[in-house]
Amino acid sequence: MPPPAFDTPLIFECGQDGRANCYLPRGPQLETLLPGDLVRDELPLPDNSELDVVRHFTRLSHKTFGIDTVFYPLGSCTMKYNPRINDAMANLPALRDLHPFAPDHAAQGALAVMWELERALASLFGMAAFSLNPAAGAHAELTALLIAKAYFAKRGEAHRNVVIVPDTAHGTNPASAAMVGFRVLSLKSDARGRVDPAALAAVAGPDTAVCMMTNPNTLGLFEDRIGEVSDVIHRAGALMYYDGANANALMGNTRPGDMGFDLMHLNLHKTFSIPHGGGGAGAGPVGVAPALVPYLPVPVVRAYEADGSPAAADGWRDSTGLRFALDFTAPDAVGTMRSFWSNFAHMVRALAYIYANGAEGLILTSQLAVLNANYIRVGIADVVDIPYPEINRHEFVASAQSLKRDTGVRALDLGKALLDRGYHAPTVYFPLIVPECLMIEPTETESKETLDAFIAAFREIVAAARIDPESALGTPRTTPVGRIDETRAARQPDLRWRAPSTESG
Ligand SMILES: *Cc1c(COP(=O)(O)O)cnc(C)c1O
């Protein structure tokens, strides 16, 4: 396989001795700015002018596929537009420059942000309380399962050691359950791609701790028997867990709390428009029903009326006139999951998004997300397989199984061919129960013109592949890096540039 075809020389491989603009002169001054052991003269670093370096990184940034440059229908990841007002709010100096050790009396504004966000999420999702402590979705699953474990231990039911996970679940669900020491029991979906209450009743019992689900599930289908499912689990004495990473489908329209869920998490970095991807910082609040509130991680933001009495916290309320304090003392808390206030800037972004949209805006957001996903499904339904041909929610799955049988072109090839057309690929090969799966989530922020152009490009790719499979098989051909060996890239990632002279070391 030839090396990646970059159209400009790598910055590390050009440059001339003495060319660097030296704003930091070598010598004792530099040593005072950097610890001495970081200043290593023997490193064979290239000497480049500042302009060359700026151009290098600016060119690289143009080669990035991101939501700010292209349509990004990556199912389950909710790559929607991130409104710039969110960043403006997160960058307000009074919030941004606050020291994480600031005493409560000097951080009242930041504590108010956390409290109002927590109240807004509780009322939007029908939970008694949320913790903003966990730093991502999987981290939140871990937190919630620790809460469930502590709850059963306190009730003298530590023997409950099984977590039931439907086969449509996100891969993090069984992984999180195993991390907490639970045994994972995978439950097969029925022919309609949903959990069958009778099949669940056959496996739920005195050793069941939690049933982890999401609704709509990862096929984009609403679990229309969720009430019966919750009853089965509650009759068995177990808890219902809601993976709300993809709450874009229902936010403001229905609430997990009303479906019988006792525990849940959200990915603020999906539903609430916070930049993500590439492993950046996330935010995964965990919400709980009343009986589980004592187990939430600390610190908890407590609100007090002007007279010092605890503020009533039933649903959302304006924080004007309240005082706030961080409470680290809750005796049954599962501990602290993340240092300081966790990813505070993301909390500011999420609250800005909620206030900018308002209740009506949030309702419309999820309705448009659902409309856009159905629009694409209908637009491509006659050129690929749609394994569950019914109204979907914020995303849907298609399958390239017939195309593969007829031409050898797979879901992977369609995803790669879309890159050449200037679109990010959909999620492929997930959920695992659909062969040659393409999982498409357009989100609400795309225009009809963009959806139409994507549908047209998708149809053209499939039509061309039916005549000449090679047209899709070798793609992408126009991207900075062509088709890579996926297995080697995953198993032996080579993410580091090595100077030629240190190659052997
Ligand atoms: C993204 C996602 C997760 C994991 O969230 P991270 O923040 O990446 O850890 C869990 N469940 C579902 C359904 C998701 O889409």
Side-chain angles (χ1 to χ4, degrees):
M1 182 118 343
F6 280 90
D7 51 12
T8 46
L10 286 171
I11 194 80
F12 300 103
E13 273 138 34
C14 50
Q16 297 255 328
D17 271 358
R19 187 171 279 174
N21 302 344
C22 230
Y23 293 123
L24 289 176
R26 292 259 151 180
Q29 302 96 316
L30 186 57
E31 305 277 323
T32 61
L33 292 169
L34 287 172
D37 58 345
L38 290 184
V39 184
R40 287 171 294 167
D41 275 326
E42 74 282 8
L43 285 182
L45 294 176
D47 240 357
N48 283 294
S49 73
E50 183 168 318
L51 176 58
D52 285 338
V53 173
V54 167
R55 282 189 182 148
H56 169 74
F57 285 108
T58 305
R59 276 193 202 112
L60 278 187
S61 75
H62 291 177
K63 289 174 177 162
T64 301
F65 252 62
I67 186 64
D68 289 345
T69 46
V70 295
F71 178 48
Y72 206 126
L74 190 67
S76 199
C77 294
T78 314
M79 304 303 283
K80 60 163 92 177
Y81 171 63
N82 304 298
R84 294 306 187 261
I85 181 97
N86 299 354
D87 296 317
M89 295 300 114
N91 271 303
L92 289 174
L95 295 174
R96 184 194 63 203
D97 298 344
L98 207 51
H99 195 282
F101 280 138
D104 291 349
H105 70 82
Q108 287 294 304
L111 298 181
V113 164
M114 291 191 263
W115 191 78
E116 287 193 20
L117 176 60
E118 191 262 335
R119 287 292 88 216
L121 297 180
S123 75
L124 260 172
F125 294 95
M127 291 283 143
F130 268 85
S131 167
L132 304 176
N133 208 218
H139 195 211
E141 293 168 23
L142 182 80
T143 306
L145 290 166
L146 287 171
I147 290 171
K149 198 166 197 169
Y151 166 79
F152 285 122
K154 181 110 182 176
R155 290 167 59 94
E157 297 180 72
H159 60 275
R160 292 188 179 269
N161 66 344
V162 174
V163 170
I164 301 174
V165 185
D167 58 4
T168 50
H170 196 266
T172 50
N173 292 185
S176 300
M179 291 278 290
V180 178
F182 286 116
R183 196 160 66 73
V184 177
L185 198 150
S186 177
L187 184 71
K188 213 167 138 28
S189 311
D190 66 13
R192 295 171 62 243
R194 291 166 171 91
V195 170
D196 173 9
L200 183 63
V203 296
D207 60 351
T208 308
V210 179
C211 175
M212 291 182 93
M213 290 180 64
T214 186
N215 193 16
N217 63 29
T218 58
L219 296 168
L221 302 174
F222 195 79
E223 297 278 355
D224 44 15
R225 299 178 73 184
I226 192 65
E228 295 166 69
V229 168
S230 290
D231 285 347
V232 166
I233 290 300
H234 289 151
R235 268 201 303 274
L239 298 171
M240 285 287 285
Y241 179 87
Y242 182 80
D243 178 341
N246 306 140
N248 220 34
L250 56 72
M251 170 178 60
N253 289 279
T254 176
R255 309 191 307 170
D258 301 337
M259 300 176 201
F261 286 97
D262 308 291
L263 287 148
M264 69 170 289
H265 86 266
L266 291 163
N267 278 24
L268 295 186
H269 49 293
K270 289 178 182 166
T271 311
F272 293 89
S273 79
I274 289 163
H276 61 285
V286 165
V288 291
L292 298 165
V293 172
Y295 304 93
L296 286 173
V298 286
V300 176
V301 180
R302 305 259 183 236
Y304 300 92
E305 306 287 355
D307 66 3
S309 59
D314 188 14
W316 184 83
R317 79 176 262 199
D318 186 332
S319 69
T320 312
L322 299 179
R323 304 289 301 166
F324 300 94
L326 286 175
D327 179 2
F328 288 86
T329 62
D332 289 326
V334 293
T336 296
M337 299 301 292
R338 185 67 162 65
S339 52
F340 302 115
W341 304 339
S342 197
N343 291 328
F344 176 68
H346 282 358
M347 300 169 199
V348 181
R349 290 186 176 95
L351 190 62
Y353 181 75
I354 290 171
Y355 286 164
N357 275 286
E360 294 300 311
L362 294 179
I363 293 170
L364 190 62
T365 290
S366 29
Q367 291 174 348
L368 291 177
V370 170
L371 179 65
N372 283 359
N374 279 284
Y375 187 77
I376 296 187
R377 176 178 55 79
V378 172
I380 65 172
D382 57 330
V383 299
V384 279
D385 309 312
I386 303 291
Y388 301 95
E390 56 173 297
I391 300 281
N392 51 268
R393 302 297 145 179
H394 63 303
E395 65 194 5
F396 70 97
V397 293
S399 164
Q401 205 175 14
S402 322
L403 185 69
K404 179 181 165 193
R405 185 194 58 223
D406 301 344
T407 66
V409 170
R410 300 170 297 153
L412 177 83
D413 303 309
L414 293 182
K416 299 290 185 197
L418 281 165
L419 298 177
D420 274 341
R421 306 291 296 253
Y423 298 105
H424 196 281
T427 297
V428 291
Y429 302 104
F430 178 80
L432 304 175
I433 56 172
V434 173
E436 294 302 323
C437 185
L438 293 141
M439 187 193 205
I440 299 179
E441 178 183 13
T443 82
E444 73 286 358
T445 56
E446 300 297 335
S447 67
K448 178 169 179 298
E449 288 76 14
T450 301
L451 303 182
D452 284 334
F454 174 79
I455 291 168
F458 190 94
R459 298 181 67 88
E460 281 164 28
I461 290 167
V462 175
R466 287 208 169 266
I467 297 163
D468 173 18
E470 283 304 316
S471 66
L473 290 176
T475 54
R477 299 191 175 92
T478 61
T479 48
V481 177
R483 180 84 63 117
I484 54 167
D485 178 337
E486 308 255 339
T487 313
R488 251 190 77 217
R491 294 286 153 86
Q492 302 161 8
D494 184 3
L495 305 173
R496 199 176 132 213
W497 177 80
R498 284 178 192 75
S501 58
T502 60
E503 199 89 291
S504 55

